[in-house]
């Protein structure tokens, strides 16, 4: 399990901006990943400011708990084999481990946790001088959007470098809420 403080900056992109940036990622192969978001019907996780997901890849998966901090999110990850992940997607029960221990220390009713939405990302990712940069095409709730994000180690310096990169590429910053928030928003508007 890897736990770390995630500090990232991101912007939504138009399809043409995304296509322009694709050339910079021509040296990396895309990774297909799907986030399956988990909460109770009463949004107990959201009310605790927690975000819980299972992220599946082709042959492996991980359970991730994100907890907002003053700067960034503390992220807790627990590796799952793909068979276990598929079973959890069919019938979710929080598996034993550090994440289970953290959530069970709250009043979140574990037996009511369920998967409520999914978002699939085609991600091009590579290390840059700014930090780990990801160019994403996201599909969820019948929508497609495009996003550029960079994970940095220094919040102040990272913001300056990210803004300079956008300016150099003639990309207007467009606020991007989290993937889980965008999925929830589209799901709510579809009801």
């Amino acid at each position: 399990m890897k736990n770390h403080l995630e500090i990232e900056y991101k912007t939504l992109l138009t399809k043409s901006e995304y296509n322009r940036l694709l050339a910079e990622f021509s040296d990396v192969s895309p990774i297909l990943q799907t986030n399956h978001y988990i909460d109770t019907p009463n949004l107990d996780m959201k009310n605790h400011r927690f975000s819980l997901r299972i992220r599946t890849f082709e042959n492996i998966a991980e359970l991730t708990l994100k907890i907002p901090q003053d700067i960034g999110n503390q992220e807790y990850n627990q590796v799952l084999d793909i068979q276990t992940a598929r079973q959890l997607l069919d019938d979710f029960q929080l598996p034993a481990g550090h994440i289970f221990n953290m959530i069970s220390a709250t009043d979140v009713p574990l037996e009511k946790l369920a998967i409520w939405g999914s978002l699939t990302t085609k991600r091009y990712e590579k290390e840059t001088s700014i930090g780990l940069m990801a160019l994403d095409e996201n599909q969820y709730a019948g929508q497609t959007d495009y996003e550029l994000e960079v994970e940095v180690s220094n919040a102040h310096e990272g913001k300056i470098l990210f803004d300079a990169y956008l300016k150099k590429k003639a990309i207007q910053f467009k606020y991007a809420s989290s993937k889980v928030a965008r999925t929830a928003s589209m799901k709510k508007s579809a009801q």
Side-chain angles (χ1 to χ4, degrees):
M1 170 160 32
K2 56 182 174 134
N3 306 322
H4 69 280
L5 181 65
E6 176 191 64
I7 303 170
E8 67 181 15
Y9 295 103
K10 57 187 170 180
T11 183
L12 288 175
L13 299 169
T14 64
K15 188 171 186 175
S16 64
E17 288 169 339
Y18 171 83
N19 287 333
R20 261 194 299 133
L21 290 178
L22 264 179
E24 290 193 27
F25 290 83
S26 61
D27 57 331
V28 293
S29 297
I31 297 166
L32 202 62
Q33 59 190 42
T34 301
N35 293 347
H36 304 276
Y37 300 113
I38 304 157
D39 205 336
T40 66
N42 291 333
L43 306 178
D44 292 284
M45 293 294 289
K46 182 180 179 192
N47 294 335
H48 279 81
R49 300 184 66 227
F50 290 175
S51 175
L52 184 64
R53 72 171 183 229
I54 292 175
R55 176 175 281 172
T56 56
F57 300 93
E58 187 176 350
N59 297 313
I60 197 161
E62 65 183 0
L63 179 68
T64 300
L65 174 66
K66 289 187 179 189
I67 303 173
Q69 306 297 305
D70 290 338
I71 295 176
N73 290 303
Q74 190 64 43
E75 193 172 283
Y76 302 91
N77 294 292
Q78 185 173 326
V79 174
L80 302 171
D81 64 68
I82 198 68
Q83 291 78 16
T84 300
R86 288 188 181 127
Q87 290 168 353
L88 293 173
L89 297 178
D90 288 339
D91 179 26
F92 186 78
Q93 294 182 12
L94 191 59
H98 191 52
I99 293 172
F100 177 94
N101 296 342
M102 292 177 70
I103 296 172
S104 61
T106 71
D107 60 358
V108 172
L110 301 183
E111 71 283 356
K112 292 188 177 175
L113 288 171
I115 294 168
W116 59 263
S118 299
L119 176 145
T120 298
T121 299
K122 181 178 181 181
R123 170 168 280 185
Y124 295 86
E125 184 176 72
K126 68 180 190 178
E127 275 298 334
T128 69
S129 59
I130 303 170
L132 183 62
M133 194 171 280
L135 183 64
D136 292 346
E137 177 182 341
N138 303 303
Q139 297 188 339
Y140 56 100
Q143 298 289 316
T144 300
D145 70 26
Y146 306 92
E147 171 180 37
L148 178 70
E149 63 182 46
V150 63
E151 197 168 316
V152 300
S153 54
N154 179 300
H156 179 70
E157 181 181 301
K159 174 85 171 106
I160 292 168
L161 293 172
F162 185 60
D163 289 346
Y165 177 84
L166 294 179
K167 187 173 184 179
K168 179 177 155 197
K169 298 296 175 184
I171 294 172
Q172 178 81 36
F173 173 81
K174 291 171 273 314
Y175 175 75
S177 59
S178 67
K179 287 179 173 73
V180 64
R182 297 197 314 262
T183 304
S185 175
M186 288 311 302
K187 189 170 168 68
K188 187 184 263 186
S189 68
Q191 292 175 342

